[in-house]
Amino acid sequence: MDIILKNVKKKDFPVLKSLAKSLGFEIVEENEKPYNSKFVKEILEAEKSIEEGKGIKIKIEDLWK
């Protein structure tokens, strides 16, 4: 059986972790998933190209024309 605890306060976490350990439970901490590496690469390349002057400037009022 899996139990997932959400919104645990930082001050309560050590107590819960200690209790789980004393009862012989396996503790698995999962961090939020990072961004897709391909997406991050595309964004970084786009920022670099803008810095190199390869971007195109469009006035806000022209966006919907």
Side-chain angles (χ1 to χ4, degrees), residues 2-4 8 10-13 20 22-23 27-28 30 33-34 37 47 52 54 56 60 63 65:
D2 294 337
I3 296 175
I4 298 173
V8 176
K10 284 187 178 185
K11 68 179 182 97
D12 296 334
F13 185 69
S22 68
L23 294 172
I27 300 170
V28 178
E30 292 184 10
K33 296 179 181 178
S37 60
E47 287 180 347
E52 294 173 351
K54 295 179 183 175
I56 298 172
I60 292 177
L63 286 175
K65 288 185 178 181

Side-chain angles (χ1 to χ4, degrees), residues 15-42:
V15 175
L16 292 171
K17 192 172 181 178
S18 174
L19 176 63
K21 187 176 179 180
S22 68
L23 294 172
F25 296 156
E26 177 184 358
I27 300 170
V28 178
E29 294 181 46
E30 292 184 10
N31 296 327
E32 292 184 25
K33 296 179 181 178
Y35 289 111
N36 181 323
S37 60
K38 183 178 177 184
F39 172 72
V40 172
K41 183 179 177 183
E42 288 177 12

